[in-house]
Structure formats: C-alpha cells, structure tokens
Amino acid sequence: MCSDVFNCFVKENEVVQLGQRIRSMYRPLYPDEKQIKYSFYAANNPNALMITETGVKRIGSVVVQSPDTWRGLNRELEVSIYFGGTEITATARDISSGNTAQTTLDFFHVK
C-alpha cells in the first residue's frame, strides 16, 4: 500500500476530445476510512512515478464521503477527469452511497 504513487490520466501530446471523460477505479487505503481525499497532480516529467518527485505539482483535490465502511477495503470509488470547454474538472464518486465531490483543476500554475 503506497499513498504517493503518481497515476497518470493523460500524458503530454495525447489527444483528448472536448467533452471527453477519463475514468479510473480505486479502493480506500484503510477499511474504516469515511472521508477519502484524492489529490490531482501535473508533472513536467513524463516518467514520474511518485508525487514527491521534482517537477510534480498539486493542481487540486477533492474529499468524497464514503459512509458504508462495513465493506472495508472492498469499496469502489470512481475518479474521473472531464475535459470541458474552458475548464477541466475532477470528480470522485463513492459507488455504494452515490456521494460525489468535484473540483476544477488549476493547470495555470504548473511550470
């Protein structure tokens, strides 16, 4: 179990369509976790593996409520990034409860 792994949704020069949503499924790190935080990062290194590496910057985060802890680690959470017209938004959704959290990602301060 590692909490600093950089999971890439889109790489530089990869074509993304306007209105496209890219999804990935996750599980909580702890069985009794009720508030699950997802942070989003941009990296100027295409081979980045960890968020602690040089050139990796946090561009947003969300906290989604996951109240049904009786499933322990066997809970699914969907994290998606939506490429809209002028904004890129990230959403986390707890599948069992339907709870969602959303944020707009800020790429303007990434160098």
Side-chain angles (χ1 to χ4, degrees), residues 16-75:
V16 178
Q17 300 297 321
L18 181 65
Q20 183 176 351
R21 182 178 305 275
I22 298 176
R23 295 177 173 92
S24 194
M25 299 302 287
Y26 296 93
R27 296 189 186 275
L29 288 176
Y30 308 102
D32 59 348
E33 198 170 12
K34 291 184 178 183
Q35 295 183 352
I36 301 171
K37 181 177 182 178
Y38 291 99
S39 293
F40 300 90
Y41 296 83
N44 59 17
N45 173 4
N47 300 313
L49 298 174
M50 306 296 282
I51 62 172
T52 53
E53 292 182 33
T54 303
V56 178
K57 304 280 186 197
R58 190 168 70 86
I59 56 172
S61 64
V62 296
V63 176
V64 65
Q65 303 298 316
S66 182
D68 300 332
T69 60
W70 64 271
R71 289 188 176 109
L73 298 177
N74 193 23
R75 294 178 280 155

Side-chain angles (χ1 to χ4, degrees), residues 52-110:
T52 53
E53 292 182 33
T54 303
V56 178
K57 304 280 186 197
R58 190 168 70 86
I59 56 172
S61 64
V62 296
V63 176
V64 65
Q65 303 298 316
S66 182
D68 300 332
T69 60
W70 64 271
R71 289 188 176 109
L73 298 177
N74 193 23
R75 294 178 280 155
E76 289 189 322
L77 297 121
E78 178 186 76
V79 176
S80 63
I81 298 180
Y82 176 76
F83 298 86
T86 58
E87 291 185 333
I88 299 174
T89 56
T91 304
R93 181 171 65 98
D94 177 56
I95 301 299
S96 63
S97 69
N99 290 339
T100 62
Q102 187 173 34
T103 190
T104 301
L105 301 179
D106 179 9
F107 286 90
F108 294 111
H109 296 97
V110 178

